[in-house]
Amino acid sequence: EAKSQGRDGYKVFENTRPGTSVNRLTLLEDMRSGIAKGEFHLKYQPQYDLFTGRIVGAEALARWQHPVLGELMPEQFIPLAEDSGLIVPLGRWVLFEACRQNREWQREGLVPITIGVNVSARQFRDVGLITDVRETLGRTGLAANYLELEVTESLLMQNADQAVRLMDDFRKIGLKLAIDDFGTGFSSLIALKSFPLTRLKIDQSFIRDLETDENDRSIARAIISLGRELGLNVVAEGVETAKQQAFLASCKCETVQGFHFGKPMSADKLGKLLGMSLAPISAQFG
Ligand code: C2E
Ligand code: MG
Ligand code: MG
Ligand code: MG
């Protein structure tokens, strides 16, 4: 409510879907110039191997430091970026910055990890994506197997034939491909059958109530064994408690990501964690 009063003419910016045209336009103009001015940055959320306790990857998550509105979260600008097409230049920057940072950690001698980058449908439909990826790897010097693209099943199903071809090309380069928010679409199993995936990320909605909901436990257990049968790495997203961790360990879920292990953090902070990751495993892992 406070936000909807607006500051400096920015009203109801939370609702960036159609309806608040003037403010959408303002925010859109701000985004266009903000990309050029370097107002965006990435936070990195660590992903842990549940059995060794080591960090094996991180997901890059976009943030916008708006000069008037302060730090904006993806839900406040990604939909607008997608609708307007600005997601293409923004996504290109995210891809570059994530790869550059990951390579920098490697140059510092830190244990190499895979960096996950979210890709929207609009970017995926853009014929330039594969060229962008190739150029980014070339310019940053990052090896392709340290980059993972995260896509959703709804994105894949929009133009399945084209998506299969593009994903085959990505796999040929050596990229990893994850299906994000797995289980929330209507075509999860078709997606598993049709696309050359390397990883499946169980949506947080199945993890949240693991302690109380018997159905969620069954679903999570089934997804984990399905992934294992298919030779895919499985990540549980949104792990917030030790009990959820224990349950996932009992199901032999390989990888975990969530506030219980680490919130999205600055590159500096993740670098420090990586520097410690050969030291004895943190307390959470006993
Ligand atoms: P996602 O890809 O599913 O990313 C996971 C989201 O869950 C992140 O929110 C993360 O902060 C949050 N999260 C992680 N662990 C926990 C937990 O234990 N509990 C809870 N409640 N939440 C947790 P965030 O950073 O707000 O991003 C939201 C979504 O915005 C992402 O969902 C992704 O779909 C999209 N997004 C973020 N960055 C980008 C980007 O660079 N490009 C594109 N196309 N989309 C992005
Ligand atoms: Mg993601
Ligand atoms: Mg997700
Ligand atoms: Mg999501």
Side-chain angles (χ1 to χ4, degrees), residues 4 7 19 24 30 36 38 52 61-62 103 111 126 145-146 152 158 168 176 194 203 211 225 249 274:
S4 69
R7 274 179 285 167
R24 271 170 64 81
D30 289 357
T52 63
L61 296 158
R103 182 66 189 132
V111 43
D126 191 280
N145 59 314
Y146 295 117
T152 60
Q158 279 176 23
D168 279 337
K176 294 175 177 161
S194 315
D203 190 65
E211 287 162 39
S225 58
L274 286 175

Side-chain angles (χ1 to χ4, degrees), residues 272-285:
K272 291 207 174 72
L273 275 184
L274 286 175
M276 301 187 309
S277 88
L278 291 176
I281 284 156
S282 70
Q284 292 151 12
F285 291 92

Side-chain angles (χ1 to χ4, degrees), residues 59 61 117-118 150 180-181 201 237 257:
E59 178 170 7
L61 296 158
V117 171
N118 292 286
E150 296 192 4
D180 202 357
D181 306 338
K201 298 188 78 176
E237 285 197 271
Q257 176 182 346

Side-chain angles (χ1 to χ4, degrees), residues 42 45 59-63 73-75 78 82 87 94 118-120 123 150 180-181 204 237-240 257-260 264:
L42 297 179
Q45 187 175 32
E59 178 170 7
L61 296 158
R63 301 288 182 264
M73 299 296 284
E75 61 191 9
I78 292 286
E82 288 173 339
I87 192 68
V94 170
N118 292 286
V119 176
S120 295
Q123 292 170 268
E150 296 192 4
D180 202 357
D181 306 338
Q204 13 184 309
E237 285 197 271
V239 182
E240 294 187 348
Q257 176 182 346
F259 294 170
H260 180 57

Side-chain angles (χ1 to χ4, degrees), residues 23 38 57 62 84 90 102 113 145 155 171 193 239 261 271 275 281:
N23 301 295
S84 64
L90 180 61
N102 198 23
I113 62 169
N145 59 314
L155 173 160
R171 289 294 297 133
K193 176 182 148 76
V239 182
F261 303 96
I281 284 156

Side-chain angles (χ1 to χ4, degrees), residues 44 101-110 267 270-271 274:
Y44 298 90
Q101 181 59 62
N102 198 23
R103 182 66 189 132
E104 187 178 317
W105 284 322
Q106 294 178 358
R107 289 208 167 99
E108 289 168 13
L110 299 169
L270 188 70
L274 286 175

